[in-house]
Amino acid sequence: MQWRSIVVGLVVLRLSVSCVLWLAFGLGPSVSWGFHFPISFNFCSKIGEESSKRSYLSLFDGNKDEYVQKYSSFPDTLKLKMKGMAKEMFYFGYENYMKYAFPEDELNPIDCEGRGPDVLNPSNININDVLGNYSLTLIDTLDTLLVLGNVTEFHRAVKLVIETVSFDKDSTVQVFEANIRILGSLISAHILLTDPKHPFGQVGFKDYDNELLHLAHDLAVRLLPAFENTSTGIPYPRVNLKTGVPEDGINETCTAGAGSLLVEFGILSRLIGDSTFEWVARRAVRALWSLRSNETGLLGNVVNIQTGQWVGKQSGLGAGMDSFYEYLLKSYILFGEKEDYRMFKAAYESIQNHLRRGRESCNEGEGDPPLYVNVNMFSGEIMNTWIDSLQAFFPGLQVLNGDIDDAICLHAFYYAIWKRFGALPERYNWQLQAPDVLFYPLRPELVESTYLLYQATKNPFYLHVGMDILQSLERNAKVRCGYATLHHVVDKSKEDRMESFFLSETCKYLYLLFDEDNPLHKSDHKYIFTTEGHVVPIDKRFREKQWDDLFPCDDVVLAETDCNRFPQERRYALPLKSVYMRQIDHMVGLF
């Protein structure tokens, strides 16, 4: 019985001390929705309410100068060094792929071997959705070679693709992955080869006869069966490149997978003069849009393509949803169709109303910093307390939409997680301050948002973020023949896989972040990146009319993106006040 008395005494003592501390710091009764102070002490209320919020933030004041000193400048010599480091990172992965893996799809960087589809286990969709036995990494990397200024290797790679790649393969692949990684890269490289205005100048070669465009068309035709025999117009998730939709194909697909085809399919249609591809992709987007909740305006994450019923009712910004929103806006930028922007605007409003939690302003006021949570699409109620690493793309999309302040805050949260682990866990539980899913496959989303925020603000803070990411990858992911997936972000154990997006996106955005003089940043022509990071010019060929005033910012993705939305004086201060940076660092357990 004595131990019970001791336990009760300790509990009473802790409650007493907690109440005293809360009174002393004026934390008040209604504090947090789940970050660091999730408990409400009603019996401590009504005391010191006027000073409570000021006192709460004072907990995170600390030494403000530590953030200013670390992030407020970035010497040109260091920028040049980081640019060289990013370039070396790319070539270490690319050259080892070409040496040990080509013509297979991916490099196993630990064993220095190639990897293709898992033919012995067709149900292994983690591999087979992506790898189609078509030299994936080489194709996905084509325009990165131009971004790095290597026209000679770009020509060699293009000729290898023309000579060796065929899509007449008995491979069952995911329509979404084949579209963004293969189709998008072929279209991008073709445009860059044939149009000297955008943005690398004359990089074509004498004997090129639109072969990449023909390959892209061939692949798109092989993906079209996914849109047949579906009562909603929403495509099947997978097709066999020889035979069409498998007999055992499932009727469920995710919103992003079905609704993120319009950029690539639309450009292809406008290049070859065949409306079929844009029509089926746009029909799928409209079908998904028609299924949104009447109450919240939100969509779910998994839908039955025959019944139109939502199988997954979670609405969020990460896996299964992310690029759907991204392509609503980017389709409008490319094609000028007002319908696309109306959908994006309505979706963004629903996201702000139902997914966004925390204080109203990123850089002012009290309470938790803004964060976007996963909710039920019909009720708007929180479904879980995790976010995933794919959501780190969203600050970049907010930059394109001109919502830079919110982008700054959400980006700072993901960067704090990166600082803690030296990587982004696939899922992070913001309530438990711990990863839920521990692997990191070298994803680019945080780097992409960092790059776009730097272009919008020119704030040296984002160069420091890029340097941290670059150094972490060198330290934690580099192996004998490339860079390996982190199996566990805490103990840094590895998996023998280097996905193609590491070279196509992660290395590309890191290099561009530090390369102020890149042709992309000096060109008079505008461009966007696809969701796989492929460069696509904003060209009047792709739009039937001139740029529309509906879009919130005219110079969307230029090297000097300003839009008059980011005050000039804030370019010389931290993008987020020190007290809020410290608050976010504290929330993810950095101190």
Side-chain angles (χ1 to χ4, degrees), residues 167 183 186-187 211-221 268:
F167 298 121
L183 185 63
L186 292 171
I187 290 171
E211 289 93 343
L212 297 185
L213 183 60
H214 297 322
L215 280 170
H217 186 200
D218 178 48
L219 175 61
V221 168
L268 179 63

Side-chain angles (χ1 to χ4, degrees), residues 2 99 180 223 230 284 298 325 392 395 400 428 468 509 547 561 569:
Q2 185 176 7
K99 180 178 180 180
I180 66 169
L223 298 179
T230 158
L298 297 172
Y325 302 118
L400 299 191
Y428 177 81
D468 281 356
Y509 288 126
W547 198 259
T561 300
E569 62 272 14

Side-chain angles (χ1 to χ4, degrees), residues 239-295:
V239 295
N240 182 284
L241 296 178
K242 268 184 177 292
T243 61
V245 176
E247 291 185 3
D248 59 350
I250 62 173
N251 289 326
E252 296 173 3
T253 191
C254 69
T255 302
S260 304
L261 308 172
L262 186 52
V263 166
E264 291 83 1
F265 273 45
I267 295 174
L268 179 63
S269 277
R270 296 177 189 225
L271 284 175
I272 66 175
D274 182 349
S275 63
T276 302
F277 305 99
E278 181 173 348
W279 186 82
V280 296
R282 190 170 291 281
R283 182 181 62 168
V285 171
R286 288 171 176 164
L288 288 164
W289 186 248
S290 71
L291 299 175
R292 69 193 187 282
S293 165
N294 292 328
E295 289 76 22

Side-chain angles (χ1 to χ4, degrees), residues 151 257 317 565:
V151 177
L317 299 178
R565 292 180 179 270

Side-chain angles (χ1 to χ4, degrees), residues 45-65:
S45 64
K46 306 298 183 184
I47 301 177
E49 288 186 353
E50 291 300 317
S51 62
S52 65
K53 292 179 179 177
R54 290 195 304 274
S55 300
Y56 165 59
L57 286 177
S58 72
L59 287 173
F60 306 108
D61 271 339
N63 179 11
K64 295 179 182 180
D65 288 341

Side-chain angles (χ1 to χ4, degrees), residues 218-386:
D218 178 48
L219 175 61
V221 168
R222 295 173 186 274
L223 298 179
L224 280 181
F227 297 87
E228 300 170 1
N229 301 315
T230 158
S231 58
T232 61
I234 301 170
Y236 286 90
R238 298 175 183 88
V239 295
N240 182 284
L241 296 178
K242 268 184 177 292
T243 61
V245 176
E247 291 185 3
D248 59 350
I250 62 173
N251 289 326
E252 296 173 3
T253 191
C254 69
T255 302
S260 304
L261 308 172
L262 186 52
V263 166
E264 291 83 1
F265 273 45
I267 295 174
L268 179 63
S269 277
R270 296 177 189 225
L271 284 175
I272 66 175
D274 182 349
S275 63
T276 302
F277 305 99
E278 181 173 348
W279 186 82
V280 296
R282 190 170 291 281
R283 182 181 62 168
V285 171
R286 288 171 176 164
L288 288 164
W289 186 248
S290 71
L291 299 175
R292 69 193 187 282
S293 165
N294 292 328
E295 289 76 22
T296 65
L298 297 172
L299 293 85
N301 60 342
V302 180
V303 68
N304 186 297
I305 66 172
Q306 302 297 352
T307 66
Q309 296 296 309
W310 290 105
V311 179
K313 299 177 178 63
Q314 176 176 297
S315 191
L317 299 178
M321 302 286 297
D322 49 354
S323 54
F324 174 78
Y325 302 118
E326 177 185 1
Y327 269 22
L328 289 179
L329 182 54
K330 290 184 176 179
S331 294
Y332 173 71
I333 295 172
L334 279 171
F335 307 131
E337 299 287 349
K338 294 181 180 180
E339 173 192 19
D340 296 332
Y341 185 62
R342 282 196 294 267
M343 286 189 287
F344 174 78
K345 187 177 180 182
Y348 193 77
E349 183 177 345
S350 295
I351 288 167
Q352 294 297 99
N353 289 338
H354 298 288
L355 272 63
R356 190 184 188 278
R357 299 293 194 274
R359 61 178 177 267
E360 182 177 349
S361 173
C362 167
N363 227 3
E364 300 290 342
E366 310 298 331
D368 293 315
L371 186 66
Y372 295 82
V373 299
N374 299 317
V375 304
N376 182 288
M377 64 173 289
F378 296 110
S379 67
E381 295 179 355
I382 295 178
M383 291 189 67
N384 50 59
T385 58
W386 53 259

Side-chain angles (χ1 to χ4, degrees), residues 501-535:
F501 53 65
F502 174 68
L503 298 179
S504 173
E505 299 183 80
T506 308
C507 291
K508 178 185 292 167
Y509 288 126
L510 282 170
Y511 182 81
L512 284 171
L513 177 64
F514 298 108
D515 186 18
E516 297 279 3
D517 297 323
N518 195 276
L520 287 179
H521 302 150
K522 298 297 184 181
S523 173
D524 293 331
H525 300 278
K526 303 171 186 178
Y527 62 92
I528 63 168
F529 295 99
T530 70
T531 195
E532 185 72 8
H534 298 305
V535 177

